[in-house]
Structure formats: structure tokens, C-alpha cells
Amino acid sequence: MNDTVSIVVGKARSAQAAFERCDQSAVDETVCALAWVVMEPGRNRALAEQAVADTGLGRAEDKILKNHRKTLGLLRDLAGKTSVGVIAEYPELGITEIARPVGVVAAVTPSTNPAATPVNMAMFSIKGGNAVIIAPSPAGLKTTTVTVNYMRAELEKIGLPADLVQVLPAPVNKALTQELMNAADLVVVTGSQNNVRRAYSSGTPAIGVGAGNVPVVIDETADFAAAAEKICASKIFDNSTSCSSENSVIILDSVYDHAIEALKNAGGYLCSAEEKEGIRKSMW
């Protein structure tokens, strides 16, 4: 194993062993502490602006909104969920379900979201009693490292080992990330199809989400103006770097003209065949 990976994984295992003794209340407090890293308005703005400066991707104002809403939504989803110790009992069956941490999670994060995704990955991991090591994209390394340092500071404030959350040190590359995936107990990867394939072939259990390709269907039941406005807002949000942005529109023949007109009114432009081919040649 690479010495760098061996060191960070060793630290993560020691921290996780101590954290495993925490009860549900302490786990939930820790999740909230990590969320505050990007929920605090001043820090949110600084991280959003740094992300755009470092990667050249997206818009700072949109990233501020994304950082806040993604994290708030995740807090909502995790609130009140039992994740450590006894999580269910079935006396009639003589069965008791006990949650056990996986151990060390390797979280591969994309350049499109170098602040919120590391925090959200850490929240998921910590909720299950695990330690997490973030493997950022090289372009997002600086922003992610600052974000992880904030998380580590918040952990220390509540008396927990900072090594519950770590980031691979520079220089981050595919070989180092692969070593981490091989050494961890679980891989969670968000990003390119290449990263997802490498995670699934690492020999470590993996959960992957690749590039988005979201279609939206417009049929006879649609409010055409509202649909067009929502499609436009989603597609241009953060300069369309989000994997949940619409990438295609499927329109039923019976409402085609109405839908196209609504999309034009919302700011869309319908290319001719020649224009479409020119765009294809220029971009791809």
C-alpha cells in the first residue's frame, strides 16, 4: 500500500474505533456540526467563490444556494433516523437488528461540487458511525482541503477526533485514489463514468453515481409556461454543472408546437439542422 494512503487509513481506523462507542445523540450532534461548515453563510460564500476560482466551473451565487439547500435537505433526511446500536426489534420473530459501522469510507468527489459534496459524504458516513477519507478531483483539491479542515475543526470543538474526516494530500492523482479505494471498507463515488467504473472494479464494495443525463417529458397535462420556466432554471443553474440538470426534453407530438413556443418564451432557442450540426462539430 502507498505510504500516504497507509497513514491516512491508519488514522481513520483509530478515530473510527473511538467514535464507534458514541450513542445516537452524539452521532446526530456530529452530523449537525459537519453541516454547519457550509450552512454558515459567510463560510458558504467563501467556499462557493473559491470553488469557481479554482475549477472555473459554475457560478458562485448558484453554488451558495446549492451548498445550503443540498445540506439542509440532507439534514432533513437524516433527522430522527436510528443508525447506531439497536435499530429495530421483532419480538414475535426473536430478531433484533443492530447497526454496525462499515469502518472507513473512501469518498471520491467531483470538481463540479468541491464543497457541498465532501460535506454531504461526511454527513452520510458519520451518521453510520464511520470515518471518511475524501479523494477530491485535482481541480477541486484546494477548495475541498479547506472544507475538510473546517470539518476537522468542528469535530474538535465537540471533543471528537479530527481524523474522522480527512482528505488525500496533494498531489492527488488516479493512482493515489485507486490505492485508497482498494484499502477502504466502502467506496462512495460521485463523478465521471471512469471514476465509477474504477470504484466498481476496485474489489471494495462501492456505491457510484456517474454523470447525469436527465430527461423531462412534456405531455398534454403540462402547464407549458411553468414547465418551460422550470426546465430553463434547472438547465442553466450553476452553468449546468449539476448532474440533476435536464439534458433532454421529450415532447409529445400533440403538444409539440405549444411546448416549443413556451420554451422560446422562457429564453430557449430552437436550432435548425444546420446550426445543430455546426454546434456538434464545434463542441464535440
Side-chain angles (χ1 to χ4, degrees), residues 217-262:
V217 179
I218 301 179
D219 65 15
E220 298 91 342
T221 66
D223 179 327
F224 302 119
E229 289 172 5
K230 290 183 172 80
I231 291 166
C232 177
S234 174
K235 188 57 187 173
I236 67 174
F237 183 79
D238 204 24
N239 288 353
S240 198
T241 58
S242 173
C243 57
S244 55
S245 290
E246 278 82 356
N247 275 4
S248 61
V249 181
I250 300 167
I251 306 173
L252 270 62
D253 289 342
S254 59
V255 296
Y256 181 82
D257 291 337
H258 293 297
I260 290 295
E261 191 61 30

Side-chain angles (χ1 to χ4, degrees), residues 37 118-119 134 143-153 162 165-167:
V37 167
V119 170
I134 308 295
T143 303
T144 300
T145 299
V146 172
T147 304
V148 169
N149 286 338
Y150 283 142
M151 287 193 279
R152 291 169 62 84
V165 181
Q166 298 178 79
V167 61

Side-chain angles (χ1 to χ4, degrees), residues 137-207:
S137 71
L141 174 62
K142 185 177 178 182
T143 303
T144 300
T145 299
V146 172
T147 304
V148 169
N149 286 338
Y150 283 142
M151 287 193 279
R152 291 169 62 84
E154 293 298 328
L155 289 170
E156 289 180 334
K157 283 181 185 178
I158 57 176
L160 290 174
D163 288 335
L164 279 172
V165 181
Q166 298 178 79
V167 61
L168 282 180
V172 174
N173 52 49
K174 290 181 180 179
L176 197 65
T177 300
Q178 189 69 54
E179 286 269 4
L180 175 62
M181 292 194 290
N182 296 345
D185 301 304
L186 175 69
V187 179
V188 183
V189 55
T190 301
S192 69
Q193 289 295 336
N194 181 50
N195 280 346
V196 173
R197 291 189 188 99
R198 287 170 52 236
Y200 282 141
S201 62
S202 66
T204 303
I207 302 169

Side-chain angles (χ1 to χ4, degrees), residues 1-283:
M1 188 191 304
N2 179 285
D3 287 345
T4 298
V5 172
S6 178
I7 290 169
V8 294
V9 170
K11 289 180 178 179
R13 294 205 184 284
S14 296
Q16 192 275 327
F19 184 59
E20 194 169 347
R21 296 191 289 271
C22 289
D23 60 15
Q24 189 67 62
S25 175
V27 167
D28 291 344
E29 179 188 25
T30 309
V31 170
C32 289
L34 296 179
W36 183 241
V37 167
V38 289
M39 294 291 290
E40 194 281 314
R43 205 152 46 192
N44 184 358
R45 174 169 291 278
L47 289 171
E49 291 174 349
Q50 183 172 356
V52 174
D54 289 348
T55 66
L57 300 170
R59 296 178 66 250
E61 292 302 320
D62 289 346
K63 286 192 184 297
I64 291 169
L65 194 59
K66 183 194 290 187
N67 290 348
H68 181 88
R69 287 186 174 178
K70 280 175 66 71
T71 306
L72 186 61
L74 180 53
L75 273 176
R76 177 201 61 207
D77 292 343
L78 296 180
K81 302 293 191 301
T82 304
S83 60
V84 297
V86 175
I87 61 173
E89 294 188 77
Y90 307 94
E92 69 281 9
L93 300 175
I95 293 175
T96 299
E97 290 185 11
I98 301 173
R100 179 181 179 277
V102 170
V104 176
V105 177
V108 184
T109 60
S111 57
T112 52
N113 213 18
T117 298
V119 170
N120 294 168
M121 293 284 203
M123 291 166 65
F124 276 126
S125 301
I126 292 295
K127 181 72 176 184
N130 305 294
V132 61
I133 302 169
I134 308 295
S137 71
L141 174 62
K142 185 177 178 182
T143 303
T144 300
T145 299
V146 172
T147 304
V148 169
N149 286 338
Y150 283 142
M151 287 193 279
R152 291 169 62 84
E154 293 298 328
L155 289 170
E156 289 180 334
K157 283 181 185 178
I158 57 176
L160 290 174
D163 288 335
L164 279 172
V165 181
Q166 298 178 79
V167 61
L168 282 180
V172 174
N173 52 49
K174 290 181 180 179
L176 197 65
T177 300
Q178 189 69 54
E179 286 269 4
L180 175 62
M181 292 194 290
N182 296 345
D185 301 304
L186 175 69
V187 179
V188 183
V189 55
T190 301
S192 69
Q193 289 295 336
N194 181 50
N195 280 346
V196 173
R197 291 189 188 99
R198 287 170 52 236
Y200 282 141
S201 62
S202 66
T204 303
I207 302 169
V209 178
N213 187 25
V214 183
V216 58
V217 179
I218 301 179
D219 65 15
E220 298 91 342
T221 66
D223 179 327
F224 302 119
E229 289 172 5
K230 290 183 172 80
I231 291 166
C232 177
S234 174
K235 188 57 187 173
I236 67 174
F237 183 79
D238 204 24
N239 288 353
S240 198
T241 58
S242 173
C243 57
S244 55
S245 290
E246 278 82 356
N247 275 4
S248 61
V249 181
I250 300 167
I251 306 173
L252 270 62
D253 289 342
S254 59
V255 296
Y256 181 82
D257 291 337
H258 293 297
I260 290 295
E261 191 61 30
L263 287 166
K264 288 180 179 179
N265 290 338
Y269 179 80
L270 182 62
C271 294
S272 66
E274 292 77 12
E275 289 170 325
K276 180 179 177 181
E277 181 62 16
I279 293 170
R280 188 191 67 77
K281 287 181 177 178
S282 174
M283 298 186 70

